[in-house]
Amino acid sequence: MSSDGNATDAGRTRTGDGGHQVTTVHDGQLLAAPADGRHPVPPLRPDPWQDASLPVARRVDDLLARLTLEEKVAQLYGMWLGAAATDQDMAPHQHDLVEETLDWATLIRDGLGQLTRPFGTAPLDPALGAHALARLQTELVAASRFGIPAIAHEECLSGFMTWGATVYPTPLAWGASFDPALVERMAAQIGAAMRQLGVHQGLSPVLDVTRDPRWGRTEETIGEDPYLVATIGTAYVRGLQSTGIVATLKHFAGYSASRSGRNFAPVAVGPRELADTLLLPFEMAIRDGGARSVMHSYTEIDGVPSAADGELLTGLLRETWGFTGTVVSDYFGVSFLQSLHRVAATPAEAAGLALAAGIDIELPAVRCFGPPLIRAVREGRVPESAVDRAARRVLRQKCELGLLDPDWQPTPTALTVRTATEGGDPDGVPGSIDLDPPRHRELARELAEESVVLLANDGTLPLRPGARIVLVGPLADSPAAMLNCYSFPSHVATEHPDLAGGVAIPTLLQALRAELPSAALSHVAAGTIDRQEMPGIVAAAAAAGNADICVAVVGDRAGLFGNGTSGEGCDAEDLTLPGQQGELLDAVLATETPVVLVVLSGRPYALGRYADRLAAVVQAFFPGEEGGSAVAGVLTGRVCPSGRLPVSVPRRPGGQPATYLAPPLGHRTEVSSIDPTALYPFGHGLSYTSFSWENVRIDGEPVPAGRPVELGTDAALTLSLTVRNTGDRPGAEVVQLYLHDPVAQVTRPVIRLTGYARVALAPGEARAVDFRVHADLACFTGRAGERIVEPGELELRLSASSADDRHTVALRLVGPERRVDHRRQLAAEVTVR
């Protein structure tokens, strides 16, 4: 590819046949005018890279051949306008690495790859933000020779992370819902909101599998089971990308398995745990979800940082899995190769390592991929072919997004539609775009309601309308109790205390008062959650002693880098409730008034110290802006609880990590004094109604008694059952299918999830559930390091949780051992009829 600054190009002007001066890029049009200016001339045929009728590959090759080295490198980095080098970081080491002196006009002369968080860096009215983004794109197109727009990206973990946008439940709550279809609808709403304002890429979903809940970013994960994470995460990808937004899978790979649950700490996993547990969600989201971008992990595995791991980012991701999208760096991740990992001595070396490994775009802003990389290429230290490879991928994605089409316009649909329908100024009017409309709030409430988990209940719940009820605890009347650290109010708005929140977030106290308008409700906050002193404990206990029921509301406050009890950089030493919340709970329990515990948190906490004294326990993982209403609905009985735990709730605060997904010696044994058995296991959740499971069949026939069902190592069967609501109110049961492999050539988890179905039923209603189970679902990485399906005995367990089996089907795989790869069956097909 040419790196000559005078290379032939489709620049601003050129002289065409017949003496016409041709302006090839102007407001998205190819224009022609006579050299003497006497009469108009029809537009000329576009250059190949602008011809939307040609294949993408041909257009990209044509454009790439015209770019100088500087112009190609410019496509490989972003710019973060408005980011400040202060102590209030929104990204790790932001205060060290943000360069506030970068000049926009100078930077964009050669083009620009991405615009970083134009809506998610500071509070901004959506209409004004859309206009500002359009203005930036217009300036970029006008300043550079080829007029290539930038890809604008935003965070979108629990909603479009901007002021005034709907805040949906956190991913742990998605996992608790066991409802991929609902998560897909949520993601489609998020994507539509972003796309209408001119955003192209969303930095979600997080597909890290929870390995140690002490990790602060547990709140961003979907759960501790790779199958649950994979199926829910893939649904999110489908929903987001259905709107034209590029989904970005993160963090590839192993981030959640860091030692001691410490953010950025080294990852100590073997290749088998990596392949069978940590990689499955990424594999499914790419193959079955069609994800178009991947973000590397900050961590290292066995001494190799992910950002410099060519075997991971190129060998596995592209050459084995066939991924064709872009790989973006996590914020400052290329610089960290020099400053934190110390595998590079200079920014140029870091750039060379990252490019060689397979990173295409440096985010959030240019540091290593700018002048240092250009000099390294000029001096022969980095091959220009590495730049070409990355630039080709970036340009292909821009082409697929329509950014290279001659009719592309910078004004987003939200502004053009409003202008067309209302005849207004296209520059944007504050308050004219609603990012939190009723239909979004309704879906946020539906997901929140499905995610609330009833862990225990002695009959105290639902609350009696006429009871005297006191709510105690620092989170009972706190909107922040509903929000994770990647929601705009927690992530950005905390630095703007005088700003209104942007969306209404009812607290649990407010929601309960709305649910029980005639009840005698009182409230004692007792203190804050993250201080070691809670002066109101005595007052809270006195109020509890005078009430019929005490609702104790405890949990987390999300924050960043130590400014919260949960969130990025807010890791926990153990799983004791933060601050003095445990002492508060002991005090109200000592009154002998029935205590209902509500945990609003970003991770599970050890509750064994209190469990046998509590009347009921409700867990909600940061349930979003409608979370207060959802939890109140469960407490009052308006909502029949149907959430199931996506992570185990431990009995004791120590002994971590300890998820259910472990081989026999990872569970309780006689040779260790530590018992990791969960208080409430993965998949657990109670209801206000009851269900029966009956008529279990294999391929339509009754399960044979006393002998296993035989299945070829390359075959499939259909396991069916009927679920009936035997109670007096509507409810939803979650049928979970686990696989048990009693003997294998390597140690295996005692059980692992291989399918599930959420079944909503009216009183007395029954529905059949079919699981189509392929032998591929029994595969694992064998001794030789290859994924195999091994003949032998298995069990399929139909279960209400990982510790509550309802029906067991003995299975024998017969035939030769099979080697399988990424083309294998990844999920059980589920039909509810």
Side-chain angles (χ1 to χ4, degrees), residues 378-451:
R378 296 284 190 214
E379 295 168 3
R381 291 180 286 124
V382 174
E384 189 168 353
S385 60
V387 173
D388 291 343
R389 182 179 70 169
R392 179 176 283 105
R393 293 167 182 161
V394 172
L395 292 173
R396 181 172 61 238
Q397 192 154 89
K398 289 190 174 186
C399 189
E400 292 168 348
L401 288 166
L403 299 182
L404 303 187
D405 293 351
D407 61 351
W408 175 85
Q409 293 292 331
T411 305
T413 57
L415 297 184
T416 57
V417 169
R418 191 187 65 81
T419 302
T421 57
E422 301 175 17
D425 184 342
D427 289 352
V429 176
S432 63
I433 296 174
D434 185 3
L435 296 180
D436 189 33
R439 67 182 184 280
H440 287 201
R441 295 194 70 97
E442 289 167 7
L443 194 148
R445 177 184 287 204
E446 183 179 356
L447 182 54
E449 289 176 351
E450 288 193 2
S451 73

Side-chain angles (χ1 to χ4, degrees), residues 1 3 69 72-73 76 334 337 344 346-359 368-391:
M1 297 301 171
S3 59
L69 173 62
K72 288 184 287 191
V73 169
L76 308 187
V334 179
L337 293 176
T346 65
E349 285 187 20
L353 284 173
L355 268 182
I359 290 178
C368 302
F369 275 22
L373 175 58
I374 293 171
R375 288 194 296 270
V377 173
R378 296 284 190 214
E379 295 168 3
R381 291 180 286 124
V382 174
E384 189 168 353
S385 60
V387 173
D388 291 343
R389 182 179 70 169

Side-chain angles (χ1 to χ4, degrees), residues 334-372:
V334 179
S335 293
F336 291 158
L337 293 176
Q338 176 192 6
S339 61
L340 299 183
H341 293 294
R342 301 183 184 178
V343 295
T346 65
E349 285 187 20
L353 284 173
L355 268 182
I359 290 178
D360 303 314
I361 304 167
E362 180 183 23
L363 296 181
V366 57
R367 293 197 82 255
C368 302
F369 275 22

Side-chain angles (χ1 to χ4, degrees), residues 548-741:
D548 296 323
I549 297 174
C550 173
V551 178
V553 188
V554 302
D556 281 317
R557 179 179 60 80
L560 292 167
F561 310 113
N563 292 316
T565 61
S566 175
E568 185 173 1
C570 297
D571 310 315
E573 292 183 0
D574 61 29
L575 298 180
T576 303
L577 285 168
Q580 294 294 298
Q581 294 180 102
E583 285 72 11
L584 169 65
L585 197 49
D586 280 330
V588 296
L589 284 167
T591 66
E592 298 186 0
T593 295
V595 176
V596 174
L597 177 64
V598 175
V599 184
L600 302 172
S601 65
R603 63 165 64 87
Y605 283 103
L607 302 179
R609 168 175 155 187
Y610 324 102
D612 61 355
R613 296 178 287 162
L614 290 165
V617 182
V618 173
Q619 171 72 61
F621 296 107
F622 289 142
E625 65 181 35
E626 286 289 338
S629 299
V631 175
V634 168
L635 294 177
T636 62
R638 175 180 58 81
V639 175
C640 184
S642 59
R644 301 293 185 267
L645 282 176
V647 286
S648 306
V649 172
R651 184 176 298 276
R652 300 178 181 86
Q656 295 300 317
T659 74
Y660 96 97
L661 199 70
L665 290 178
H667 295 268
R668 181 182 180 183
T669 70
E670 296 180 1
V671 295
S672 173
S673 58
I674 296 176
D675 181 1
T677 304
L679 175 65
Y680 302 114
F682 173 86
H684 172 74
L686 304 179
S687 176
Y688 292 149
T689 189
S690 57
F691 303 92
S692 67
W693 299 17
E694 54 200 45
N695 196 28
V696 177
R697 305 175 82 82
I698 296 289
D699 292 330
E701 300 295 329
V703 178
R707 60 181 177 85
V709 175
E710 291 195 348
L711 180 71
T713 53
D714 60 352
L717 58 76
T718 299
L719 174 60
S720 306
L721 77 158
T722 299
V723 181
R724 186 181 305 277
N725 184 343
T726 56
D728 59 2
R729 59 179 298 162
E733 178 71 301
V734 178
V735 180
Q736 301 162 47
L737 177 64
Y738 294 88
L739 181 118
H740 170 60
D741 189 349

